[in-house]
Amino acid sequence: MLRAASIGMGWWSDELADAAQGKSDAIRIVTCFTRSEERRAAFARKYGTAQHDSYEAVLADDGVDAVILTTPHSLHAEQVIAAAAAGKHVFCEKPFTLTRASAQAAVDACAEAGVVLAIGQNRRWHSATQALKARLEGGDFGTVLHAEANFSVPSALGYAVEHWRSNRIESPAGSITGLGIHMIDALVYLLGPIERVAAQAYRRAVPVDIDDTTSVLFAFESGVTAYLGTMFACPHTSYINVYGTGGNAFAEIDNSKLTLQAADGTRREEPIEALDTLRLELDEFAAACAGEAQFTVTTGEAVHCIAVMEALVAAAVSGEWVAVDRGSEP
């Protein structure tokens, strides 16, 4: 049983704990830390954990094997590197970091320490995403031409100025760090590395100084193109569509729904199973820490997705196509 510490007590720490605590035979949250004494005490009561009064105390605890980071994005790299130095495995929520350089530094630290680094891109585990992946690998779509993705929610309409996401450091190009990174990762998983990006980001409706309407064009190394729309101010939307010479697919990711369109235009709905993606990713993290599995999101893909995000933020500012920094990635 992997003994984990939950770091950062927000709503997502509870989502992860709800998925695993008392339900998984592979991982258990044994302690927690956040700067708010009230919040960590509430988490400890709710999930039956201990609590620590500093991150350093967590890392010094021999009874902790791993940390689960649900902290602000700008803190991730430093926290990952510190955990690696302490010999702790790391499950880090998305986005991994805010720059490619910091992502690579964190990856290198974990590799040098011999600890597992897992990034919580849970939409890879959705049955709709897996169904698309299988059909792409099977050549069902013929020559793949284009993809479209959207992940939007109305959350930022209610943001207060003091909310940690209510600034352009934590939320560059609007909802890219909170929402769009999920679809960037899914598109990379399905279609491979991205070569260059163009983007626009505007503030249209939210009460705080961040963008809420972002659109991105991707050019993949394979020649495929893709579009991503992500809004912080409209009803929940989550889909990936794939278009090819042999047919099209329309996947509603969070609704676990897949519609296939054949080359002759006929459509049919493909039944797929709704899965607990948070439980699946945490169980796989535990298996990877035990040396029994390879975590689905590779560290190379994790760094590449941050490089894509960094490029699109620059593209939204410049109004021009920006090449994605591949560094020494294979």
Side-chain angles (χ1 to χ4, degrees):
M1 176 77 73
L2 185 72
R3 301 167 298 177
S6 183
I7 310 299
M9 309 285 93
W11 74 278
W12 199 249
S13 64
D14 283 24
E15 291 292 313
L16 292 174
D18 285 341
Q21 198 74 336
K23 301 173 183 176
S24 173
D25 294 327
I27 183 170
R28 179 168 181 80
I29 300 171
V30 297
T31 191
C32 65
F33 167 69
T34 192
R35 289 177 298 177
S36 167
E37 184 176 352
E38 180 181 356
R39 285 190 175 186
R40 68 176 182 257
F43 184 95
R45 285 194 302 271
K46 183 176 181 180
Y47 297 107
T49 75
Q51 54 180 304
H52 284 67
D53 59 8
S54 72
Y55 185 49
E56 292 75 17
V58 170
L59 297 183
D61 188 340
D62 291 337
V64 173
D65 305 312
V67 295
I68 299 173
L69 302 178
T70 59
T71 50
H73 323 315
S74 59
L75 301 179
H76 287 171
E78 179 182 351
Q79 291 174 334
V80 171
I81 291 170
K88 309 298 186 186
H89 302 293
V90 181
F91 182 94
C92 181
E93 264 306 320
K94 51 75 202 156
F96 178 18
T97 68
L98 293 173
T99 66
R100 186 194 185 285
S102 61
Q104 189 62 59
V107 165
D108 291 345
C110 290
E112 183 175 349
V115 298
V116 171
L117 172 62
I119 310 302
Q121 298 286 1
N122 69 298
R123 277 161 179 78
R124 285 204 187 196
W125 282 264
H126 271 266
S127 53
T129 310
Q130 291 297 316
L132 286 177
K133 180 72 169 176
R135 284 161 177 77
L136 283 162
E137 291 180 343
D140 293 16
F141 303 116
T143 299
V144 180
L145 306 170
H146 183 70
E148 295 173 352
N150 192 304
F151 188 16
S152 301
V153 298
S155 302
L157 289 172
Y159 280 179
V161 173
E162 61 270 18
H163 193 291
W164 69 266
R165 291 186 186 270
S166 298
N167 68 80
R168 293 177 179 269
I169 294 175
E170 300 289 356
S171 299
S175 55
I176 287 297
T177 56
L179 305 172
I181 189 65
H182 274 299
M183 294 315 191
I184 294 170
D185 175 76
L187 289 169
V188 167
Y189 178 57
L190 295 172
L191 302 171
I194 296 170
E195 186 174 75
R196 58 195 177 104
V197 301
Q200 300 178 88
Y202 302 103
R203 178 184 176 188
R204 300 272 294 153
V206 298
V208 293
D209 185 27
I210 60 173
D211 296 320
D212 55 41
T213 304
T214 305
S215 57
V216 188
L217 290 175
F218 300 109
F220 287 76
E221 292 185 357
S222 63
V224 176
T225 59
Y227 162 78
L228 168 65
T230 178
M231 277 67 72
F232 244 173
C234 74
H236 185 165
T237 304
S238 177
Y239 67 78
I240 298 176
N241 301 334
V242 175
Y243 305 89
T245 59
N248 303 327
F250 309 92
E252 297 180 31
I253 302 300
D254 290 342
N255 292 333
S256 298
K257 181 178 178 181
L258 178 65
T259 302
L260 300 176
Q261 183 178 30
D264 63 5
T266 58
R267 293 193 181 204
R268 64 181 176 88
E269 188 169 321
E270 182 82 359
I272 53 177
E273 180 185 4
L275 301 173
D276 185 344
T277 61
L278 302 185
R279 168 77 178 277
L280 289 171
E281 66 177 356
L282 289 170
D283 278 352
E284 187 172 285
F285 170 57
C289 294
E292 298 169 355
Q294 171 68 47
F295 195 71
T296 296
V297 184
T298 71
T299 54
E301 289 170 329
V303 171
H304 180 61
C305 285
I306 298 307
V308 172
M309 187 180 77
E310 191 174 28
L312 78 83
V313 170
V317 173
S318 70
E320 300 178 350
W321 283 89
V322 174
V324 176
D325 181 5
R326 292 301 305 277
S328 58
E329 295 175 42

